[in-house]
Amino acid sequence: MHEELAQLAAVVKLDVDWISKNTPGLTAAAKDRIDHVVAVSELLIKKIQRISFSVSPNMLDYFGLKDTLEWLCHDFSVINEIPGTFQSNHHEDSLSHEMKIDFFRICQESLSNVLAHAEASRVSININETSDTLELCIVDDGKGFDVTHKKNTSGFAGMRGRAASINGELHVESSIGKGTKICLTTLSMSQV
């Protein structure tokens, strides 16, 4: 439902943009109203995104982590027009419920950072399970940043706290102009 609402809002925005660019002789008042509709459409799309992201952890109980993260990636791509991919080779029974929630929230925070700061043209989410570890990586091709200046922000502190609560570690790799890679690594349930 959220995806359909976001798509409808995006269509309204695109149509109003088209009218603005392809209708000669618009009065200043008409242009102001069109600009207002575009701004409201953008706010609506962002609000739908926040709502859909905030309610989605319930999906973990019904669909599991793979399907929930696949949905999150798809929804992010549709709403924000930033292509995203999701791949996973993990087994659902290799994660506790708490781990699933923390994986989801770290992924969610990372995607929020991509949207707010990265200016990325694509993002990927991968979960890789080996015989003894489980790793979640979120990678974007955005503008990157100097990790030494951002490592203590509230977003990263929250993600590190979530990682620590499941005996994991959070690694952030980034440099100016080279994108960002955020990885959570923890022991698989078979090693706990």
Side-chain angles (χ1 to χ4, degrees), residues 13 22 32 42 51 54 71 73 77 93 114 136 146 183 190:
K13 181 182 175 297
N22 294 295
D32 286 344
E42 289 171 357
I51 291 169
S54 68
W71 168 84
C73 183
S77 295
D93 57 353
V114 168
L136 165 70
D146 182 348
C183 292
S190 62

Side-chain angles (χ1 to χ4, degrees), residues 8-183:
L8 289 172
V11 167
V12 169
K13 181 182 175 297
L14 289 171
D15 284 350
V16 172
D17 279 341
W18 185 92
I19 290 169
S20 176
K21 292 175 185 166
N22 294 295
T23 305
L26 288 174
T27 66
K31 287 181 181 179
D32 286 344
R33 293 303 294 172
I34 287 173
D35 290 343
H36 177 74
V37 171
V38 169
V40 169
S41 297
E42 289 171 357
L43 288 173
L44 178 60
I45 290 167
K46 288 179 191 219
K47 184 68 171 176
I48 292 168
Q49 179 187 27
R50 281 194 293 275
I51 291 169
S52 67
F53 282 2
S54 68
V55 299
S56 55
N58 293 331
M59 291 177 66
L60 290 169
D61 295 333
Y62 299 105
F63 302 111
L65 184 63
K66 280 184 188 178
D67 288 343
T68 301
L69 289 183
E70 188 169 19
W71 168 84
L72 180 67
C73 183
H74 176 74
D75 212 42
F76 177 85
S77 295
V78 168
I79 291 171
N80 301 299
E81 299 177 358
I82 300 172
T85 59
F86 173 74
Q87 294 181 340
S88 174
N89 74 343
H90 91 280
H91 302 285
E92 288 293 323
D93 57 353
S94 67
L95 290 171
S96 68
H97 184 70
E98 179 187 3
M99 291 173 83
K100 290 177 185 179
I101 291 173
D102 288 336
F103 269 57
F104 175 81
R105 289 295 186 199
I106 288 170
C107 189
Q108 185 180 46
E109 178 68 24
S110 296
L111 289 177
S112 293
N113 288 339
V114 168
L115 181 61
H117 309 293
E119 298 176 13
S121 63
R122 73 177 65 94
V123 65
S124 66
I125 302 166
N126 297 292
I127 300 177
N128 185 40
E129 184 173 18
T130 65
S131 59
D132 57 348
T133 63
L134 197 59
E135 183 177 64
L136 165 70
C137 289
I138 301 95
V139 180
D140 71 66
D141 67 348
K143 65 182 182 179
F145 60 92
D146 182 348
V147 175
T148 59
H149 291 105
K150 301 280 186 181
K151 66 182 178 182
N152 294 320
T153 64
S154 62
F156 286 130
M159 287 191 282
R160 282 192 179 89
R162 286 190 176 277
S165 76
I166 56 173
N167 297 316
E169 292 184 19
L170 189 79
H171 304 281
V172 179
E173 299 174 21
S174 187
S175 58
I176 305 297
K178 305 241 180 190
T180 302
K181 181 178 183 179
I182 297 174
C183 292

